[in-house]
Amino acid sequence: MAPPLLLLLLASGAAACPLPCVCQNLSESLSTLCAHRGLLFVPPNVDRRTVELRLADNFIQALGPPDFRNMTGLVDLTLSRNAITRIGARAFGDLESLRSLHLDGNRLVELGAGSLRGPVNLQHLILSGNQLGRIAPGAFDDFLDSLEDLDLSYNNLRQVPWAGIGAMPALHTLNLDHNLIDALPPGAFAQLSQLSRLDLTSNRLATLAPDPLFSRGRDAEASPAPLVLSFSGNPLHCNCELLWLRRLARPDDLETCASPPGLAGRYFWAVPEGEFSCEPPLIARHTQRLWVLEGQRATLRCRALGDPAPTMHWVGPDDRLVGNSSRARAFPNGTLEIGVTGSGDAGGYTCIATNPAGEATARVELRVLALPHGGNGSTEGGRPGPSDIAASARTAAEGEGTLESEPAVQVTEVTATSGLVSWGPGRPADPVWMFQIQYNSSEDETPIYRIVPASSHHFLLKHLVPGADYDLCLLALSPAAGPSDLTATRLLGCAHFSTLPATPLCHALQAHVLGGTLTVAVGGVLVAALLVFTVALLVRGRGAGNGRLPLKLSHVQSQTNGGPSPTPKTHPPRSPPPRPQRSCSLDLGDAGGCYGYARRLGGAWARRSHSVHGGLLGAGCRGVGGSAERLEESVV
């Protein structure tokens, strides 16, 4: 019976090993080796007594709870260099004995809070070479007390669960190199007394906050072990914030400074301590005084310079630090925004800029013009009561609200973009603190407010929209009777007006064309006169040369010595030789022959200028500013 029983045991053992894998049973421990087997998923028939399971260099894409069910004895699990993109919640839930988990070289993008739940005795967690951009805060909670080695290198991490890492008292090695970490929270490693190696190489750290962990440095006397710290490849800003690190004396490391410009490229440990300096804050510009209407948004601005960049704070009129709330928000760049202002927000605000080199302050005065909250402008007892200008000027112009017996509001001298608002002095018995003008246009329903001093009774509106209809109302703001009362408002009157349309460009074009026409006409007349004079001289000289007529003498008497004058000898009349005909090659439509050449040429110039400019006017401004014939009459 012994041989059949042995064969049965061997057969059962052989069936428990997955077909593509190799199983080794050494020293009462079972190792299942499935590396380089082209697996697309975890084999379902793995012996649950396996202590070591190697699934590296396959094509597994996802992990879930069924893959490692009831494998409570598994100690070492290797899933390196697969294509894992997702780990389901509690995929390792039954691996209570697991000590080492290798997930490096996969395609994990994030780890949820339940992705690594289960292995409460895990000591080595290797997650390097993934694409991790986010790790949930509670992802490491199940093995905080047992983890000794954590490798998160070569990922895309900007933040890591610092609270969880800082609560790992047994952690010896922490690799965070080749990530995108740009800041370390102060005291993040203060509780890691067992940490012996911290690698922060090739991140985006410009500074390191002081931490008791770093003071161990290379001190051989430190307990329990000296710290090996690597932070090269970071854009270190070598100012007074890193002076504490410079004093740790680590001359054999090759960290360099990236800024400020005077220290860029120099070895960190070779820079003298005196050159690690900072600049105190300086308030470059800020809001000095701001007036807003009650209920409007108030934005207080404050900008400061310094090295390092100052931290900005605001202190309110009650000497309390202004924090973010539903009504107010303080931005890191120094801007304080109050969403809906009230009378209690008025007062002096202090902007405070601080950095390790000192602090600077600036005061901003905020005044809130309280407005009524009713709408009818009166309360019981006849006293002007609170109202709120919540209705638009269009509504007031249509008759809503109570109009008192005040002089009417007029809008005169209206142009395309401006108008003059005028109103009377009102009743002397009613005190006026200031006037408020509210108006809006048909192009934009948003009301626009203007505050006018009580001594003024005229206001010029500018930057209006051409060709738009406007509704305007004037209100008088009266001072409050007591400190707790709101400002009273009386509606003095409303007006409706329309701006002129935009001035067409053709008027300017007509003036330009008219001026050019006159210039051309005057020039043509001058040229024509000069040609007439020249042609007349030519015609006269040519006629005298071609005719060769003898000089005709009449009544010529010779001088004698007192004798009678001789009788003049008569000659028969000669007919003048025929004059040569000149060819007229230029026909300008004048029937007077070639002797009118100059005059015709002048007329041609005038007609040409009239036709050109008249045509231009007819094409550009027909119907505006007259016709071409009218322009011709004015030119001639």
Side-chain angles (χ1 to χ4, degrees):
M1 294 297 296
L5 180 60
L6 179 61
L7 293 176
L8 181 61
L9 293 176
L10 292 175
S12 62
C17 186
L19 186 60
C21 303
V22 175
C23 297
Q24 297 179 350
N25 191 353
L26 302 174
S27 302
E28 299 181 358
S29 63
L30 180 63
S31 296
T32 303
L33 309 179
C34 302
H36 296 280
R37 301 298 177 178
L39 299 176
L40 300 178
F41 47 84
V42 177
N45 53 347
V46 176
D47 193 326
R48 301 309 174 189
R49 299 171 300 170
T50 300
V51 175
E52 181 183 9
L53 177 60
R54 298 183 182 181
L55 295 168
D57 299 292
N58 284 289
F59 302 98
I60 302 173
Q61 298 183 2
L63 300 175
D67 294 332
F68 308 103
R69 182 173 296 168
N70 298 326
M71 299 184 67
T72 57
L74 188 64
V75 175
D76 189 354
L77 175 60
T78 302
L79 291 162
S80 303
R81 297 176 298 280
N82 276 273
I84 301 174
T85 59
R86 183 178 60 84
I87 299 177
R90 300 192 63 84
F92 311 110
D94 292 345
L95 307 183
E96 58 185 24
S97 300
L98 191 67
R99 297 292 189 271
S100 177
L101 176 59
H102 293 258
L103 288 167
D104 52 295
N106 283 281
R107 302 176 183 176
L108 293 171
V109 177
E110 66 174 342
L111 288 177
S115 299
L116 300 178
R117 290 292 174 87
V120 294
N121 295 307
L122 188 66
Q123 296 178 351
H124 306 279
L125 177 59
I126 312 300
L127 290 166
S128 61
N130 280 274
Q131 303 172 14
L132 288 173
R134 177 183 177 273
I135 299 178
F140 304 147
D141 285 355
D142 278 11
F143 41 84
L144 292 179
D145 295 333
S146 61
L147 196 65
E148 298 179 359
D149 184 11
L150 178 59
D151 190 350
L152 296 173
S153 60
Y154 291 92
N155 281 286
N156 300 322
L157 294 171
R158 297 178 183 272
Q159 294 289 334
V160 296
W162 297 111
I165 292 177
M168 296 179 178
L171 192 65
H172 287 275
T173 305
L174 177 59
N175 294 325
L176 297 172
D177 56 289
H178 295 87
N179 277 284
L180 305 175
I181 302 172
D182 56 5
L184 298 178
F189 313 109
Q191 305 300 322
L192 303 182
S193 58
Q194 301 295 325
L195 191 65
S196 60
R197 178 176 179 80
L198 175 60
D199 194 347
L200 295 169
T201 303
S202 298
N203 277 277
R204 297 182 177 180
L205 295 171
T207 186
L208 295 175
D211 196 296
L213 173 73
F214 301 137
S215 62
R216 294 184 2 219
R218 304 225 172 188
D219 186 5
E221 303 295 333
S223 177
L227 173 67
V228 178
L229 174 64
S230 300
F231 57 91
S232 60
N234 285 278
L236 296 177
H237 183 63
C238 298
N239 60 1
C240 64
E241 288 186 307
L242 289 181
L243 183 59
W244 67 272
L245 184 60
R246 172 64 182 81
R247 292 173 177 172
L248 296 181
R250 299 158 51 93
D252 55 338
D253 288 334
L254 301 179
E255 291 85 0
T256 58
C257 298
S259 59
L263 301 179
R266 297 176 60 180
Y267 289 113
F268 180 83
W269 305 104
V271 178
E273 293 184 9
E275 298 187 31
F276 285 80
S277 59
C278 291
E279 298 180 2
L282 174 65
I283 303 295
R285 61 182 184 274
H286 65 93
T287 305
Q288 296 183 353
R289 188 177 295 103
L290 180 65
W291 290 34
V292 296
L293 294 174
E294 182 182 8
Q296 288 185 332
R297 183 187 305 272
T299 302
L300 309 181
R301 305 183 187 277
C302 184
R303 298 291 183 270
L305 304 177
D307 183 20
T311 302
M312 310 300 295
H313 303 282
W314 285 91
V315 175
D318 55 355
D319 293 333
R320 294 184 179 180
L321 191 66
V322 180
N324 292 337
S325 63
S326 59
R327 295 183 58 254
R329 185 178 180 185
F331 294 89
N333 63 356
T335 299
L336 176 63
E337 188 175 274
I338 303 175
V340 180
T341 56
S343 57
D345 297 321
Y349 289 78
T350 303
C351 167
I352 303 177
T354 60
N355 72 0
E359 71 175 32
T361 61
R363 184 175 177 82
V364 178
E365 188 69 25
L366 175 64
R367 186 163 187 179
V368 180
L369 304 179
L371 293 179
H373 294 274
N376 54 4
S378 61
T379 59
E380 297 180 0
R383 175 187 169 187
S387 64
D388 190 9
I389 312 175
S392 64
R394 181 184 301 277
T395 305
E398 291 174 355
E400 295 186 27
T402 303
L403 296 179
E404 301 182 3
S405 57
E406 297 288 345
V409 180
Q410 298 181 355
V411 182
T412 58
E413 302 181 13
V414 179
T415 65
T417 59
S418 64
L420 181 63
V421 183
S422 304
W423 62 91
R427 296 180 299 188
D430 297 333
V432 176
W433 179 27
M434 61 182 62
F435 295 104
Q436 182 193 47
I437 298 176
Q438 177 186 359
Y439 63 95
N440 65 336
S441 68
S442 57
E443 303 294 332
D444 188 0
E445 294 294 336
T446 304
I448 302 175
Y449 301 90
R450 294 290 183 265
I451 298 297
V452 183
S455 59
S456 301
H457 298 282
H458 303 277
F459 187 82
L460 181 62
L461 300 177
K462 297 181 180 180
H463 307 293
L464 302 179
V465 180
D469 298 329
Y470 277 86
D471 293 320
L472 179 145
C473 286
L474 176 70
L475 300 99
L477 306 182
S478 301
S484 61
D485 293 342
L486 296 174
T487 304
T489 300
R490 292 181 292 108
L491 181 63
L492 300 183
C494 295
H496 178 83
F497 66 96
S498 301
T499 55
L500 300 179
T503 304
L505 297 177
C506 292
H507 292 311
L509 180 62
Q510 178 181 357
H512 176 72
V513 172
L514 181 59
T517 304
L518 291 176
T519 303
V520 173
V522 173
V525 171
L526 294 178
V527 172
L530 181 60
L531 290 177
V532 168
F533 180 73
T534 304
V535 172
L537 292 179
L538 291 177
V539 171
R540 194 169 188 180
R542 186 173 297 180
N546 294 338
R548 297 182 180 179
L549 296 178
L551 297 177
K552 182 178 181 180
L553 303 177
S554 61
H555 305 288
V556 178
Q557 296 181 357
S558 61
Q559 184 177 4
T560 61
N561 294 328
S565 301
T567 304
K569 187 181 293 185
T570 62
H571 298 277
R574 295 183 180 181
S575 60
R579 299 175 59 184
Q581 298 293 328
R582 297 188 314 174
S583 62
C584 300
S585 61
L586 180 61
D587 187 8
L588 300 179
D590 198 350
C594 291
Y595 65 89
Y597 171 76
R599 182 164 60 86
R600 292 197 303 275
L601 184 59
W605 275 96
R607 285 194 300 275
R608 179 184 178 187
S609 63
H610 294 169
S611 62
V612 171
H613 295 287
L616 180 60
L617 285 177
C621 305
R622 188 170 304 278
V624 180
S627 62
E629 291 78 6
R630 183 175 180 181
L631 182 60
E632 288 179 6
E633 294 176 359
S634 63
V635 172
V636 177

